């Protein structure tokens, strides 16, 4: 059965995700270092983009230096042929700056998108590994924010973080060397200005910037999560009167987000001001040291223009360095949220390298649980302890107990969502741990209390259980589930659409569709987790009666609070505190042979 992953009774509350980013090993490495480690296949492109970006910035610096030389030399009115090389160079550098910047954008974005595509793919694949047992560790909507917004922010670590820093280091070093060769004092002054603007000030503001960007990422995630919950639960919130409180919370998040965004804008303005001030100081110092050198004939007047004007070309480079720190801090905050999920260990054991063959007895499989214990992720104690149970073909079992007693945990263990921490599960005597988990899972069909309906037709919603089923088979499954009279009244029959989240159908009709899925799947064991929890008494009687009215070769395990369901069962399993408190039934014997005796 296909259902939406929801918190299960006995599972830990989804208030906070596990903080695993500060541990040892790979989880203890800096997020950007881990991101670079996962950039296989894109590293060469990123390095190439850094080189091309440095060349583009170098063209801008060379264009300024050449233009300064050309203007100063032209003022001396030399023969025009003396200026032709400089004139051609100015044109070439102007064209080269634009072309190289365009190429750098193509290479860097292609590499970043490849890396981000790989991260998103690994992130979703890991969600599939830990689902559904570990998903309640995060709020609804939060995983969506991590999958979309946080992955996008992670790309800024390269595009707006590392690449501008690499380009600034190469171009700044080259410009310092050029200025030092012309006038050592001017080169030294430029080096000091770049160190102050690109190293000292960003380091001093790093802690505040990191805090601000972490708040930005968290507030955006909270907004996405809250909007998602509002859209999903709008009718319930409106009826219960809780909508104004949720809207007030959203307004609070928006106000906090505006304050943080204003802080980020101020940081960008400071970065621009620092860039202009630093390069202005470098120009002033170059003039301060250059004019006396010209007067003393230690420096050619034409080169004075080069030394004085060249630092102005570094203004954009210095500003990009200031913004790079902000981008890196935001990327780090997003990466920590991503890696917090990706570092969550799977809650199920890996498939064996050489799985044993799944038994296929003629009368159906017999599944036995002996001393089974299980624990939810993040919990400090087992939700099941020492459970013994036999699932025999044709047997109807009702599991009863208070909320949190372990009923839904038992279902999760049988479905393979949780691997037992102790005990043994066998399928016709074969240890389930030696079998392919997907093969074991194929023995069960699942009818949940909140089965998810897609915005499609009744036919397509039921056919999820068996995509190759024909319309006649789907219709037969629906009638077996007790949905015949309802189908007869529908305007388009099984082609009628159920609406978004199944809002066009009632709770009883939803459960009949869920039961029809289980019937259509035709698995040896039917698991039903409180399918009548949200139904009126009459509808609940009809639904549970259909579930317990199983075929002779199908075992039914029904989780229920209803005493009436216990009267129809062959065995009642009572749980309290994760333990079985009733007396286990005697091992069921195989059905007697009915063959005539010779």
């Amino acid at each position: 059965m296909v259902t939406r992953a929801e918190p299960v009774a006995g599972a830990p509350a989804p208030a906070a995700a596990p903080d695993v980013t500060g541990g040892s090993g790979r989880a203890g490495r800096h997020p950007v270092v881990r991101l670079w480690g996962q950039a296989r296949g894109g590293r060469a492109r990123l390095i190439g983009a850094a080189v091309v970006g440095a060349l583009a910035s170098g063209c801008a610096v060379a264009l300024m230096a050449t233009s300064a030389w050309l203007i100063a030399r032209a003022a001396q009115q030399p023969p025009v042929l003396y200026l032709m090389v400089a004139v051609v160079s100015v044109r070439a550098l102007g064209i080269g700056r634009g072309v190289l910047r365009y190429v750098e954008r193509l290479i860097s974005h292609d590499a970043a998108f490849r890396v981000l595509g790989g991260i998103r793919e690994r992130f979703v694949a890991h969600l599939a590994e830990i689902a559904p047992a570990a998903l309640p560790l995060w709020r609804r909507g939060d995983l969506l924010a991590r999958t979309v917004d946080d992955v996008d922010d992670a790309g800024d670590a390269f595009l707006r973080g590392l690449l501008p820093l690499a380009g600034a280091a190469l171009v700044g070093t080259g410009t310092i060397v050029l200025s030092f060769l012309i006038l050592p004092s001017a080169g030294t002054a430029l080096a000091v200005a770049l160190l102050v603007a690109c190293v000292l000030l960003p380091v001093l503001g790093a802690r505040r910037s990191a805090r601000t960007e972490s708040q930005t990422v968290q507030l955006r995630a909270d907004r996405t999560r809250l909007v998602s919950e509002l859209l999903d639960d709008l009718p319930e919130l409106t009826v219960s009167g809780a909508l104004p409180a949720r809207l007030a919370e959203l307004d609070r998040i928006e106000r906090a987000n505006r304050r943080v965004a204003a802080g980020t804008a101020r940081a960008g303005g400071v970065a621009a001001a620092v860039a202009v001030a630093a390069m202005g100081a470098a120009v002033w110092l170059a003039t301060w040291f250059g004019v006396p050198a010209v007067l003393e004939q230690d420096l050619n007047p034409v080169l004075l223009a080069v030394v004085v004007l060249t630092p102005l070309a570094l203004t954009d480079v210095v500003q990009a360095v200031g913004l790079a720190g902000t981008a890196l801090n935001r990327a780090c905050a997003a990466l920590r949220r991503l890696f917090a999920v990706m570092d969550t260990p799977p809650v199920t054991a890996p498939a064996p390298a050489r799985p044993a063959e799944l038994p296929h007895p003629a009368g159906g499989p017999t599944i036995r649980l002996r001393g089974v214990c299980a624990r939810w992720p993040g919990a400090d104690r087992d939700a099941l302890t020492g459970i013994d149970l036999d699932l025999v073909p044709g047997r109807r079992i009702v599991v009863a107990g208070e909320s949190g007693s372990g009923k839904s945990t038992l279902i999760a263990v049988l479905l393979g969502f949780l691997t037992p921490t102790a005990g043994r599960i066998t399928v016709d005597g074969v240890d389930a741990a030696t079998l392919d988990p997907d093969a074991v899972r194929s023995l069960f069909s699942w009818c949940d209390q909140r089965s998810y309906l897609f915005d499609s037709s009744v036919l397509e919603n039921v056919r999820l259980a068996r995509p190759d089923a024909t319309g006649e088979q789907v219709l037969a499954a629906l009638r077996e589930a007790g949905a015949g009279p309802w189908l007869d009244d529908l305007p388009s029959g099984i082609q009628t659409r159920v609406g978004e989240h199944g809002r066009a159908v009632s709770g009883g009709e939803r459960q009949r569709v869920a039961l029809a899925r289980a019937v259509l799947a035709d698995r040896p064991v039917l698991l039903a987790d409180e399918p009548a929890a949200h139904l009126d008494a009459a509808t609940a009687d009809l639904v549970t009666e259909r579930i317990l009215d199983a075929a002779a070769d199908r075992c039914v395990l029904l989780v229920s609070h209803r005493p009436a369901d216990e009267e129809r069962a062959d065995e009642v399993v009572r749980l309290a505190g994760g333990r079985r408190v009733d007396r286990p039934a005697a091992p069921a014997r195989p059905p007697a042979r009915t063959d005539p005796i010779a």
Side-chain angles (χ1 to χ4, degrees), residues 368-374 383-390 399 405-407 409-410 413-414 420 422-425 557 573-582 584:
R368 302 187 189 278
L369 286 71
R370 293 294 180 264
V372 169
C373 304
L384 284 181
T385 304
I387 298 298
D388 295 338
L389 182 64
D390 294 335
V399 180
S405 61
K407 304 184 301 297
T409 305
L410 177 60
V413 169
L414 291 173
R424 190 166 179 252
I425 301 177
L557 187 147
V573 177
R574 298 193 182 279
L575 298 178
R579 298 178 181 273
R580 186 167 180 176
V581 295
D582 65 297

Side-chain angles (χ1 to χ4, degrees), residues 266-287:
R266 284 194 296 270
V270 169
V274 167
V276 173
M279 293 304 98
V283 169
W284 186 86
L285 290 173
T287 305

Side-chain angles (χ1 to χ4, degrees), residues 58-368:
C59 283
V61 174
L63 178 60
M64 178 64 76
T66 305
S67 300
W69 184 92
L70 179 60
I71 293 171
R73 187 71 176 94
Q76 297 176 345
Q77 298 182 352
V80 69
L81 292 178
Y82 288 10
L83 306 177
M84 290 306 297
V85 173
V87 171
V88 174
S89 298
V90 167
R91 293 177 179 174
L93 292 171
I95 295 173
R97 180 180 61 174
V99 171
L100 289 173
R101 186 62 67 189
Y102 179 74
V103 173
E104 182 265 337
R105 291 287 189 269
L106 288 179
I107 299 175
S108 62
H109 281 74
D110 176 69
F113 289 151
R114 288 173 183 266
V115 174
L116 296 187
I119 290 177
R120 186 173 280 117
E121 180 180 351
R122 285 188 290 271
F123 184 83
V124 175
H126 189 74
L127 287 180
E129 291 181 5
I130 65 177
L135 294 188
L137 292 170
W138 294 277
R139 301 283 296 271
R140 283 187 300 167
D142 183 58
L143 289 176
L144 175 63
R146 296 177 193 244
T147 307
V148 179
D149 297 330
D150 290 345
V151 172
D152 290 341
D153 279 344
D156 288 343
F158 293 132
L159 297 177
R160 295 180 175 85
L162 296 180
L163 293 180
L165 290 178
L170 294 174
V171 175
T173 301
T175 307
I176 291 172
V177 171
L178 174 64
S179 298
F180 191 86
L181 291 176
I182 297 175
L183 184 63
S185 55
T188 303
L190 179 60
V192 172
L194 289 175
L195 285 175
V196 171
C198 297
V199 179
L200 181 60
L201 293 180
V203 169
L204 292 177
R207 179 173 297 182
R208 181 175 181 180
S209 174
R211 183 171 60 252
T212 300
E213 295 309 315
S214 295
Q215 292 175 350
T216 299
V217 171
Q218 187 58 52
L219 286 171
R220 186 187 56 204
D222 291 343
R223 180 178 58 193
T224 302
R225 183 261 308 166
L226 184 58
V227 170
S228 176
E229 292 178 357
L230 282 172
L231 293 176
D232 286 343
D233 304 330
L234 187 59
E236 292 84 355
L237 293 172
T238 303
V239 172
S240 64
L243 183 60
R246 293 296 183 91
L247 293 176
E249 182 183 358
L250 182 61
D251 184 62
R252 179 189 61 79
I253 292 175
E254 287 296 335
R255 289 198 304 270
N257 191 54
R258 287 195 296 270
R259 288 195 299 268
V260 175
T264 301
R266 284 194 296 270
V270 169
V274 167
V276 173
M279 293 304 98
V283 169
W284 186 86
L285 290 173
T287 305
W288 178 270
F289 294 117
V291 171
V294 171
L295 295 177
E296 295 175 4
Q297 298 184 352
D298 292 333
L299 180 66
N300 190 316
V302 175
L303 295 180
L304 175 62
V306 176
V307 171
V308 170
L309 296 179
T310 298
L312 295 177
L314 294 176
T315 301
D316 291 341
V317 174
V318 175
Q319 183 177 355
V321 171
L323 298 177
T326 301
L328 279 176
N329 285 324
R330 180 176 297 186
C332 287
L335 286 169
R336 290 189 182 95
R337 285 169 45 82
L338 290 173
F339 290 140
V341 177
M342 297 173 70
D343 290 338
T344 303
V347 295
T348 56
R354 296 182 178 178
E357 184 178 353
L358 182 68
H360 293 284
T366 296
I367 302 171
R368 302 187 189 278

